[in-house]
Amino acid sequence: MENNYLADLWNSSPIVCVVLTGLVLLLVESVRRGSGRLSYAVSLVGLASAGVLIVAVGDVAQPAFNNMIVQGPYAQFFTVIFLVTGILTILLSRGYLDRQGIHRSEYYLLVVFAISGMMLLAYAMDLIVVFLGIELMSICLYILAGFMRTRGTSMEAALKYFLLGAFATGFLLYGIALIYGSTGTTNLEQIAKSFAEHSASPMFLVGVSFLLVAFAFKVAAVPFHMWAPDVYEGAPTMVTAFMSTGVKAAGFAAFVAVFMRSFQYAGSPVNDVLAAIAAASMIIGNVTALAQVNLKRMLAYSSVAHAGYILVGLAAGNADGFMGILFYLVAYVVVNVGAFGILSLVEDSNGQKLSYDDYAGFSAQRPFLAALMSIFMFSLAGIPPFAGFFGKYYVFLAAVKADMIWLAVLGVLTSLVSVYYYLRLVILMYFREGSGDVAVRPTWAAMLSIGFAAYLVIQFGIFPSIVVDAALKVF
Amino acid sequence: MTLQAVLFYLLAAVSIASAIMVITRRNPVTSALFLVLNFFSLGGLYLTLHAQFIAVIQILVYAGAIMVLFLFVIMLLNLGDSQSLREVISLRKLAGVGLSTAFLLEIIYILGFRVSDFPAGEVTRGLEIGTVEYIGQKLFTDYLFPFEITSILLLAAIVGAVVMAKRKLD
């Protein structure tokens, strides 16, 4: 068997670049102790060069390393999401970490390694790579969740996430083993062939359902969402931002890669299970979010609900659903980075100032940030002309086309419920008198990244075709 | 009955018996030691299946490294008091028992009655698949990429462990 490793290396160069950045960060810390600022710069440069490489490699689908990974439009689309999320998160993190007194260079290292794990998920063409990508991403996040070691809630979040995540990994591995047992391969293309031929094999279906459990856990869909509120609340706010954006997108990258592109399950029992998970996530996520006082918890339940909306596209299983998922993820990721970014600016050094009431009268003190926060909330609620509206529009359209009208109706109804808890924040900011003791000291980098996120939300809301064209090329 | 069948039944009986002992013993150290016995008999079962590599790994990693960790944790937590380990039966636990029983039945059904679903080619390949040479060859050719990624995964885990366990917070 002839292998051209140089071509393989070139095709996987964005991943290699991110991994190398991680290794350089490791050396930076050992050469100069306490070098948080240097690590910050190195990680930004590394991620940006990976972004250059991903454009340079081009979007022609090419397998590499014995069909373990595939470079192509799909990998490219998701990698851009991950890199943008990573860069925005790092820009926002520095000021936040300084304020919280946990500015250490390991933070950047773990974020960079987590991003390389996410990229593996987008590139994966083999279940083994999917497994390694999920583990690489998750292990970094377990640590990041507990990065604030002096705070009990942060440690609780890390432990909860770790224990439940390890359990989900067990499901993932067992599922992979059963699928390997029934098809004799872990390659996604060959599994797809086998799925088309023997879709009735019960061992295979049990394997598929185990994969479903593992992925549903990673994207926090009901009934595997129980970890999300506590972990989102306990983890440092910028880590929560990273979790709810990059990790969710990565979870869906694997979910869609395995189920939609490879298994092409549409019309099988898998479809109905996905629809049920989507419906449950939308209902439970939105209704529970109504009762929250803490904004991080509210966004956690909101993230469960959004996982439900994205799963609507997956349950529909058609080309529109696929495109809808990609658009939805882009819209959701930029909005959430921005919203969590503002939360991290307002949060004080004791982890307080995170409840609805702390935002009363916010517009009088910080009119610009309040306006941006309102944009993010409107987009999350799915009100035009912001990006969130088109995300919902495309996934619901896909459900209608797939004869799942009940799912689309349920989606619209639960979106109406969500308007209440998103707009409550806007009303508090603009129409209530506040105590006026919110001290916000944003860095330039933080303001720039929140502003950039808001710009993207408006840009994609008014001209959705930019993302739609890119998403259509993927399919 | 061939020697292989005798060995299989013997090892299977030992592994089931020791597994039952693991969950019925009150003393955690006794449970842990029965778990070691269980791992050893599983290792023997792998050997009868011509999976030498997995058999050795089973003994080295599970019976060796992981069980030592188990015993250390038991001793550090000082779980000697068997009173504190008394079971309390609750509705949630009963539901858990019900679910795991249903799960067990499903697995038995699938593995017991659907063996014909195994692709025919895989069974004949079984003899060479378990040797160290075969695994090594695959690992450094077909599975080179996952192998390299594993090293990054372990590196990330080491960094994480250091971040978490470092005594001094600077």
Side-chain angles (χ1 to χ4, degrees):
Chain A
M1 207 182 299
E2 196 61 39
N3 275 318
N4 188 350
Y5 281 114
L6 269 183
D8 287 353
L9 264 181
W10 171 241
N11 281 326
S12 63
S13 58
I15 300 182
V16 175
C17 175
V18 173
V19 168
L20 282 181
T21 308
L23 297 180
V24 170
L25 285 171
L26 206 57
L27 288 176
V28 162
E29 174 64 15
S30 66
V31 172
R32 254 179 63 181
R33 293 194 50 77
S35 51
R37 283 169 67 185
L38 188 58
S39 301
Y40 167 79
V42 170
S43 51
L44 283 178
V45 170
L47 292 182
S49 5
V52 173
L53 280 173
I54 193 81
V55 176
V57 168
D59 57 359
V60 183
Q62 273 163 336
F65 293 110
N66 250 310
N67 223 358
M68 286 285 149
I69 54 173
V70 169
Q71 136 71 24
Y74 185 79
Q76 210 177 20
F77 190 93
F78 274 102
T79 302
V80 170
I81 296 185
F82 302 147
L83 291 177
V84 170
T85 314
I87 290 173
L88 291 181
T89 305
I90 287 175
L91 283 174
L92 279 159
S93 289
R94 190 174 147 201
Y96 176 74
L97 296 176
D98 270 337
R99 281 194 295 282
Q100 303 291 335
I102 50 168
H103 195 187
R104 297 206 305 272
S105 61
E106 291 92 347
Y107 180 90
Y108 301 110
L109 173 68
L110 289 167
V111 169
V112 166
F113 271 152
I115 290 172
S116 67
M118 295 170 185
M119 286 165 68
L120 283 176
L121 291 176
Y123 276 80
M125 204 54 211
D126 197 286
L127 284 176
I128 292 176
V129 179
V130 171
F131 166 70
L132 288 172
I134 283 194
E135 279 308 281
L136 183 50
M137 171 181 89
S138 302
I139 284 184
C140 295
L141 279 159
Y142 301 147
I143 310 298
L144 285 173
F147 206 75
M148 219 174 270
R149 273 176 55 194
T150 47
R151 198 175 291 166
T153 50
S154 179
M155 293 314 286
E156 182 196 340
L159 196 63
K160 259 187 190 161
Y161 195 28
F162 171 66
L163 290 178
L164 291 173
F167 200 58
T169 300
F171 271 96
L172 180 68
L173 266 184
Y174 202 1
I176 292 174
L178 286 175
I179 288 178
Y180 178 70
S182 63
T183 61
T185 175
T186 50
N187 183 281
L188 286 175
E189 270 172 355
Q190 284 161 30
I191 293 172
K193 270 185 216 151
S194 172
F195 188 60
E197 287 161 21
H198 335 259
S199 53
S201 157
M203 182 149 111
F204 184 76
L205 280 181
V206 171
V208 170
S209 62
F210 280 13
L211 286 191
L212 197 66
V213 170
F215 289 143
F217 175 85
K218 289 296 168 202
V219 302
V222 174
F224 310 104
H225 67 292
M226 302 304 285
W227 59 276
D230 289 345
V231 174
Y232 276 35
E233 188 189 359
T237 303
M238 278 326 295
V239 174
T240 312
F242 191 54
M243 252 186 229
S244 77
T245 54
V247 176
K248 182 150 295 207
F252 273 105
F255 214 146
V256 172
V258 171
F259 278 84
M260 208 154 183
R261 288 170 76 221
S262 301
F263 290 5
Q264 306 199 330
Y265 57 83
S268 74
V270 180
N271 228 341
D272 301 325
V273 178
L274 282 171
I277 293 179
S281 302
M282 289 189 295
I283 295 172
I284 292 180
N286 278 318
V287 171
T288 325
L290 287 177
Q292 301 307 316
V293 180
N294 183 304
L295 285 172
K296 270 164 98 179
R297 279 187 93 80
M298 181 275 273
L299 284 173
Y301 281 108
S302 134
S303 122
V304 172
H306 285 284
Y309 295 124
I310 300 170
L311 281 169
V312 168
L314 204 56
N318 47 24
D320 294 273
F322 188 75
M323 202 274 286
I325 292 172
L326 296 183
F327 191 94
Y328 203 112
L329 278 173
V330 171
Y332 175 75
V333 160
V334 288
V335 166
N336 257 31
V337 169
F340 274 109
I342 294 178
L343 288 193
S344 80
L345 290 178
V346 175
E347 182 178 348
D348 67 12
S349 56
N350 300 317
Q352 302 298 312
K353 302 275 182 210
L354 283 168
S355 68
Y356 271 106
D357 292 335
D358 294 322
Y359 281 78
F362 190 55
S363 70
Q365 301 158 32
R366 285 276 167 181
F368 184 60
L369 279 179
L372 294 187
M373 191 62 154
S374 311
I375 290 174
F376 296 139
M377 290 298 131
F378 279 122
S379 179
L380 280 172
I383 294 170
F386 303 109
F389 166 75
F390 281 101
K392 280 186 178 149
Y393 171 74
Y394 288 126
V395 290
F396 294 157
L397 185 72
V400 170
K401 281 191 183 166
D403 277 334
M404 287 184 164
I405 294 165
W406 65 274
L407 203 56
V409 171
L410 191 69
V412 173
L413 287 178
T414 49
S415 299
L416 286 178
V417 173
S418 75
V419 171
Y420 172 78
Y421 62 83
Y422 290 130
L423 293 201
R424 197 173 134 207
L425 184 63
V426 178
I427 289 169
L428 273 172
M429 286 192 299
Y430 281 93
F431 301 109
R432 290 287 158 75
E433 292 291 318
S435 50
D437 60 345
V438 180
V440 185
R441 291 179 306 275
T443 59
W444 273 108
M447 286 306 275
L448 201 71
S449 20
I450 295 172
F452 182 65
Y455 161 74
L456 287 182
V457 170
I458 297 169
Q459 170 85 4
F460 295 155
I462 296 173
F463 302 108
S465 57
I466 304 168
V467 182
V468 170
D469 288 345
L472 284 177
K473 260 202 294 185
V474 171
F475 201 46
Chain B
M1 213 155 44
T2 60
L3 178 65
Q4 202 172 1
V6 173
L7 268 178
F8 171 77
Y9 284 114
L10 188 70
L11 288 167
V14 171
S15 72
I16 292 174
S18 55
I20 291 172
M21 294 298 266
V22 171
I23 54 173
T24 50
R25 293 303 91 189
R26 271 279 154 73
N27 188 334
V29 178
T30 320
S31 289
L33 289 175
F34 272 113
L35 195 55
V36 175
L37 184 61
N38 180 265
F39 286 156
F40 267 103
S41 47
L42 272 182
L45 278 176
Y46 289 138
L47 265 186
T48 64
L49 292 169
H50 299 278
Q52 298 97 318
F53 182 70
I54 299 184
V56 172
I57 291 297
Q58 169 84 12
I59 308 284
L60 275 181
V61 175
Y62 283 89
I66 291 188
M67 281 318 298
V68 171
L69 265 181
F70 262 50
L71 286 172
F72 266 123
V73 170
I74 290 170
M75 285 169 192
L76 285 176
L77 292 180
N78 205 9
L79 285 177
D81 184 15
S82 54
Q83 287 304 105
S84 61
L85 293 174
R86 197 166 287 271
E87 291 281 331
V88 186
I89 294 172
S90 65
L91 198 65
R92 189 183 281 192
K93 274 191 184 149
L94 283 179
V97 168
L99 275 178
S100 8
T101 316
F103 183 58
L104 179 69
L105 291 177
E106 278 176 24
I107 297 293
I108 289 175
Y109 170 76
I110 291 158
L111 294 182
F113 300 98
R114 292 294 180 138
V115 180
S116 58
D117 280 345
F118 282 105
E122 298 307 305
V123 182
T124 49
R125 220 175 67 190
L127 278 181
E128 55 156 358
I129 208 168
T131 61
V132 181
E133 293 94 323
Y134 185 82
I135 291 173
Q137 207 187 19
K138 282 279 166 197
L139 208 54
F140 289 104
T141 54
D142 294 358
Y143 293 91
L144 180 68
F145 186 75
F147 180 73
E148 296 292 344
I149 292 300
T150 312
S151 63
I152 301 297
L153 177 64
L154 291 177
L155 187 62
I158 293 170
V159 173
V162 172
V163 169
M164 277 317 210
K166 204 162 60 175
R167 187 168 297 170
K168 220 175 72 187
L169 293 166
D170 50 1

